[in-house]
Amino acid sequence: FFFHGHRRSTKLPARCGVSVATMSGALSHQHQPYEAMDHGIGQAHGQAHTGKSAETSNLRPTELSSGTTILAIPFPGGVVMGADSRVSTGTYVANRTSDKIAQLHDTIWCCRSGSASDTQALTDYVKHYLGQLAVETGRSPTVKVAAHLMRKLCYENKDNLLAGVIVGGWDAVDGGSVYNIPLGGSCIKMPFAVGGSGSTFIYGLLDSEFRPGMSREEAHDLVKLAISHAMARDGSSGGIIRTVVVTEEGNAREYVPGDQLPFGP
C-alpha cells in the first residue's frame, strides 16, 4: 500500500474527477550503480549492480514499490476482514496507522491494497453507487453486486489504476461471502481471500489452518495470526492489525497494537 508518484486520469464519470497524490523531489533520486565485489552473477552477465532488489527492478522510473497484507475469511453468519496499517512511499513509511478497511454499505466492506489514492477513489465511487442503488430499489445491495461494481471500475480503468481489492460482507442472499479483485480487474468468489505483498509469506499457513465452516472466533484468531506472521516477514507490512467482523446484526471493529501481536520478533 503506497502513495503513488504521478498524476493520472481515469475513465470514471467526469462529474467526480479522480486526482492522485503527486510526489516531487524524493522520486527523482536514483541509486548510482556500483561494481560487483566478487565474481558473482552480476559480473558473469557483464552487468553492474543497480542498487535495486528483485522486487523493485521492474518498476518504472516514477513507480514505487507497494506493500500491504489484507485478508478476509467468511464464517457461517458473516465474515472477518483484516489488514495491517503500514503505508509506504518506496522505503519511507508515510503512515504507520492507516485504515485499509473501508465500509461500502451497511454490511459490506473492502480491504484495499496498491495505490492509496486509487483505492480511496474507487471505494468512494462504489459507496456512492451502492447508496443510490439502495434508495432506488428499497433494499440493501448484495456483496456480489458491490464486488462486480468494483470489478467494473477496476477493469475499465486498469491501465490507469494500481488497485487490488477484497470485497466481503454479509447479505440476505449468500450470508457471509468474499470476492477477490486483483490487479487487472478480474473478480473471483473465494473460500477466503488474501492479498498484498505480505500474502506470499502466509499462503502455506492459511492452506494449513483454514477450513470451511470455521466459527467466528476461529476465523478472527486466524486472521490476526496470519497478518502478524506477514508483518514479521514482509518489510512493507507493519504497524497494527485492524479487523472488522461483519454479521447480520452489525459490524464489530477491533485493532491489535504492534506490541501485542499474536506472532512477532
Side-chain angles (χ1 to χ4, degrees):
F1 206 80
F2 73 105
F3 285 121
H4 204 271
H6 63 281
R7 188 173 299 275
R8 300 175 289 190
S9 62
T10 69
K11 298 178 183 177
L12 297 173
R15 64 180 181 273
C16 297
V18 180
S19 62
V20 180
T22 302
M23 306 301 296
S24 55
L27 298 180
S28 62
H29 175 72
Q30 299 291 333
H31 292 288
Q32 295 298 321
Y34 58 88
E35 296 297 330
M37 297 301 292
D38 55 18
H39 298 285
I41 296 177
Q43 288 189 346
H45 291 278
Q47 298 175 351
H49 195 283
T50 62
K52 294 184 178 181
S53 66
E55 179 186 358
T56 61
S57 60
N58 293 322
L59 295 178
R60 291 177 299 217
T62 57
E63 199 169 32
L64 295 173
S65 173
S66 62
T68 290
T69 303
I70 53 176
L71 175 61
I73 298 179
F75 62 90
V79 63
V80 180
M81 308 182 73
D84 74 307
S85 65
R86 177 171 293 176
V87 176
S88 56
T89 303
T91 57
Y92 175 74
V93 178
N95 187 347
R96 61 191 178 92
T97 55
S98 171
D99 188 358
K100 302 179 184 179
I101 310 175
Q103 188 173 19
L104 301 178
H105 203 259
D106 294 343
T107 56
I108 305 175
W109 295 68
C110 77
C111 296
R112 306 178 291 120
S113 69
S115 167
S117 54
D118 288 354
T119 54
Q120 286 170 351
L122 286 169
T123 54
D124 286 346
Y125 274 109
V126 174
K127 184 175 182 178
H128 170 70
Y129 292 141
L130 290 179
Q132 284 188 329
L133 179 65
V135 171
E136 292 173 2
T137 61
R139 60 178 183 269
S140 296
T142 63
V143 178
K144 182 177 181 179
V145 168
H148 281 277
L149 180 55
M150 182 72 75
R151 186 269 316 160
K152 180 178 177 67
L153 293 173
C154 290
Y155 180 77
E156 293 184 355
N157 297 281
K158 61 184 176 182
D159 293 333
N160 300 309
L161 297 175
L162 186 64
V165 182
I166 296 173
V167 177
W170 179 93
D171 60 63
V173 177
D174 295 321
S177 58
V178 169
Y179 292 82
N180 194 15
I181 306 170
L183 298 177
S186 60
C187 182
I188 311 166
K189 187 176 183 180
M190 306 284 287
F192 68 88
V194 59
S197 60
S199 63
T200 58
F201 297 91
I202 57 175
Y203 273 111
L205 173 63
L206 292 169
D207 287 340
S208 173
E209 298 298 324
F210 172 80
R211 67 179 191 281
M214 297 177 72
S215 68
R216 171 175 173 160
E217 291 73 21
E218 290 173 332
H220 200 192
D221 290 343
L222 181 56
V223 166
K224 292 187 290 186
L225 178 65
I227 294 177
S228 66
H229 272 268
M231 291 165 62
R233 297 294 182 184
D234 177 29
S236 299
S237 299
I240 65 176
I241 297 176
R242 297 186 188 273
T243 64
V244 58
V245 181
V246 186
T247 62
E248 181 179 9
E249 289 74 31
N251 312 296
R253 300 213 62 175
E254 180 183 326
Y255 85 98
V256 182
D259 60 351
Q260 298 178 23
L261 301 176
F263 175 85

